[in-house]
């Protein structure tokens, strides 16, 4: 039983009772809020779909792997410049990252350099991650639940670019590959592994045939432009229009 410990003579309404909202009994409400609150912001900002950048949080611009930081920044800028020229009433192919440093920062920075909106899906951690300064303020989110953050990575994504990274990057990659291979996603997601040498050394994915490789921003941009145009800008049959209350999503089959 949840008790209110305020000095008021009467109990507050449930949705203002912080003692209850922070309790285990209200976990379902907190989870639901991490779906509804971002959805409301994406609707207000007219975000239709995203290009998600994954990669190490520890890669710095001038460090040993700084090339990947600079390439992520360049690619995000090129994609944003390209998508800004598309004829659409909403924002198409918006750069989205995990909101932190490293490759995430580079992606948001590149989109910001091009004057575009850019999304950061941060996660509350005790010591590590803080939002980088290049995220569009209205599109900077912080999640408590990892699985809700992952949901939003996949929900709007039309493409993902995976730069070299550690277990967090691998986790995100394998989850999307599992959804793609088991056909749980109705919509196509274009997957680009950036850094052929790194990925060939770490894993052998050749048999899956679920993605393409790139080693420079121009090649990656070409893959994204060709496949996004094929699957999302010139469909074989007209796609249903997105309803007024929800953005275009990577729909589930169930």
């Amino acid at each position: 039983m949840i008790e209110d410990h305020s000095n008021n003579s009467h109990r507050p309404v449930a949705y203002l009772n912080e003692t209850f909202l922070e309790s285990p009994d209200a976990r379902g409400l907190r989870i639901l809020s991490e779906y509804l609150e971002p959805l409301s912001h994406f609707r207000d900002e007219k975000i239709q779909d995203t290009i998600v950048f994954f990669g190490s949080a520890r890669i710095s611009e001038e460090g040993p792997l700084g090339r990947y930081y600079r390439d992520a920044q360049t690619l995000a800028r090129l994609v944003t410049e390209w998508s800004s020229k598309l004829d659409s009433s909403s924002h198409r192919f918006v750069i989205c990252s995990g909101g932190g440093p490293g490759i995430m920062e580079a992606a948001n920075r590149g989109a910001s350099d091009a004057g575009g909106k850019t999304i950061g899906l941060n996660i509350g951690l005790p010591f590590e991650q803080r939002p980088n300064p290049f995220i569009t303020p209205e599109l900077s989110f912080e999640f408590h639940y990892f699985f809700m953050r992952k949901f939003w990575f996949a929900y709007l994504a039309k493409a993902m670019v995976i730069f070299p990274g550690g277990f967090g990057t691998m986790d995100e990659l394998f989850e999307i590959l599992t959804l793609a291979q088991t056909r749980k996603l109705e919509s196509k997601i274009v997957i680009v592994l950036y850094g052929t040498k790194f990925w060939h050394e770490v894993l052998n994915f050749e048999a899956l045939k679920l993605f393409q490789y790139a080693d420079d921003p121009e090649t990656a941009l070409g893959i994204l432009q060709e496949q996004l145009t094929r699957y999302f800008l010139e469909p074989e049959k007209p796609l249903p229009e997105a309803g007024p209350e929800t953005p275009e999503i990577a729909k589930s089959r169930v």
Side-chain angles (χ1 to χ4, degrees):
M1 177 177 174
I2 304 299
E3 295 183 2
D4 175 50
H5 298 291
S6 69
N7 294 324
N8 294 332
S9 60
H10 60 85
R11 295 172 59 83
V13 293
Y15 61 84
L16 295 178
N17 186 339
E18 292 188 12
T19 304
F20 168 69
L21 293 176
E22 294 175 1
S23 71
D25 289 337
R27 182 174 290 115
L29 296 177
R30 296 196 299 274
I31 292 171
L32 185 60
S33 71
E34 291 199 349
Y35 168 71
L36 293 175
E37 197 260 357
L39 180 64
S40 174
H41 279 284
F42 289 134
R43 184 188 301 130
D44 290 344
E45 294 296 314
K46 297 184 175 359
I47 304 298
Q48 183 169 338
D49 39 30
T50 62
I51 308 298
V52 178
F53 279 53
F54 288 127
S56 174
R58 295 173 174 83
I59 291 178
S60 65
E61 184 175 7
E62 302 302 330
L65 298 177
R67 168 223 165 180
Y68 291 116
Y69 182 106
R70 295 187 292 274
D71 284 1
Q73 181 181 352
T74 299
L75 177 59
R77 175 179 58 79
L78 292 172
V79 170
T80 303
E81 290 173 347
W82 170 67
S83 64
S84 68
K85 296 180 176 65
L86 299 175
D87 184 17
S88 175
S89 60
S90 58
H91 297 285
R92 300 300 311 273
F93 310 137
V94 177
I95 300 300
C96 175
S97 84
I103 295 299
M104 296 176 282
E105 176 185 289
N108 294 131
R109 183 177 176 182
S112 178
D113 289 344
K117 292 182 180 292
T118 183
I119 301 165
L121 305 181
N122 218 284
I123 186 74
L125 298 175
F127 304 109
E128 291 190 19
Q129 194 161 310
R130 296 293 182 272
N132 69 67
F134 302 102
I135 304 166
T136 302
E138 296 79 12
L139 296 170
S140 181
F141 303 93
E142 180 162 325
F143 292 86
H144 176 76
Y145 298 102
F146 265 105
F147 65 90
M148 287 307 302
R149 181 181 185 236
K150 288 184 175 184
F151 170 84
W152 277 112
F153 278 135
Y155 193 51
L156 293 172
K158 290 297 188 290
M160 293 187 171
V161 185
I162 321 295
F163 281 78
F167 287 116
T169 301
M170 302 291 182
D171 176 58
E172 303 291 358
L173 172 60
F174 275 102
E175 182 147 14
I176 293 302
L177 290 179
T178 299
L179 292 173
Q181 191 175 46
T182 57
R183 302 182 66 187
K184 282 294 185 180
L185 294 177
E186 184 176 318
S187 179
K188 171 77 173 179
I189 292 186
V190 180
I191 301 174
V192 178
L193 297 185
Y194 199 98
T196 306
K197 184 174 183 292
F198 172 86
W199 291 109
H200 279 168
E201 287 178 352
V202 173
L203 297 166
N204 183 1
F205 284 138
E206 294 298 329
L208 296 180
K209 298 181 180 179
L210 289 174
F211 42 74
Q212 300 178 62
Y213 293 98
D215 292 296
D216 57 78
E218 291 73 22
T219 299
L221 177 68
I223 294 171
L224 292 170
Q225 287 179 322
E226 189 273 327
Q227 300 234 343
L228 291 170
T229 299
R230 178 193 302 178
Y231 291 110
F232 304 113
L233 299 179
E234 298 176 358
E236 296 180 0
K237 58 182 180 180
L239 294 173
E241 293 185 3
E245 296 185 355
T246 57
E248 184 74 12
I249 63 171
K251 298 176 182 177
S252 170
R253 293 181 176 272
V254 294

